[in-house]
Amino acid sequence: MYEPTHHSDAVVEENINKPGRNVMFLSADWCGDCRAIKPFVQDIKDTISQTANWFDADRDENLAVATKYNMRGIPSFVLFEDGQEVSRIGHGERLTPQQVLDWYQSTQA
């Protein structure tokens, strides 16, 4: 089962602002839908990491970042390019791995 890496707000912001494509997985330990997708997150990460930097954020531990970017629903996957949000999926609903991969594929030109 995938275990997200915990980061400070500063490290999350650094990852958001890295040049290129950066995908954030936003979750929380108490979130049932987050737990439901965790068995599949490593496969999602392996696929996305071929073309983007991947990093994790925790909705509670990184509340300042989540608030700044108006991220309320979890689990969420958020794509940033050169520090700007491009797209996101997940607004509090249960996601399937295929939905996440289809979303990411749709963001590639």
Side-chain angles (χ1 to χ4, degrees), residues 12-19 22 68-69 80 82-84:
V12 171
E13 284 284 356
E14 285 175 21
N15 278 290
I16 288 171
N17 290 303
K18 280 184 180 177
N22 303 290
K68 177 180 177 180
Y69 293 95
F80 296 91
D82 301 322
Q84 299 298 312

Side-chain angles (χ1 to χ4, degrees), residues 65-98:
V65 173
T67 300
K68 177 180 177 180
Y69 293 95
N70 197 29
M71 297 175 188
R72 295 193 175 117
I74 53 175
S76 292
F77 297 81
V78 186
L79 172 64
F80 296 91
E81 281 192 48
D82 301 322
Q84 299 298 312
E85 182 178 335
V86 173
S87 183
R88 75 172 74 174
I89 186 172
H91 303 283
E93 74 275 12
R94 186 165 289 191
L95 299 168
T96 67
Q98 193 60 52

Side-chain angles (χ1 to χ4, degrees), residues 25-63:
F25 172 50
L26 180 69
S27 64
D29 291 337
W30 53 264
C31 168
D33 290 337
C34 300
R35 286 193 303 270
I37 200 169
K38 277 186 183 177
F40 310 102
V41 171
Q42 187 62 52
D43 291 336
I44 295 168
K45 177 182 178 180
D46 291 345
T47 300
I48 289 176
S49 292
Q50 295 174 21
T51 55
N53 174 55
W54 173 281
F55 63 100
D56 301 309
D58 184 277
R59 175 67 176 83
D60 297 327
E61 292 178 19
N62 303 116
L63 188 56

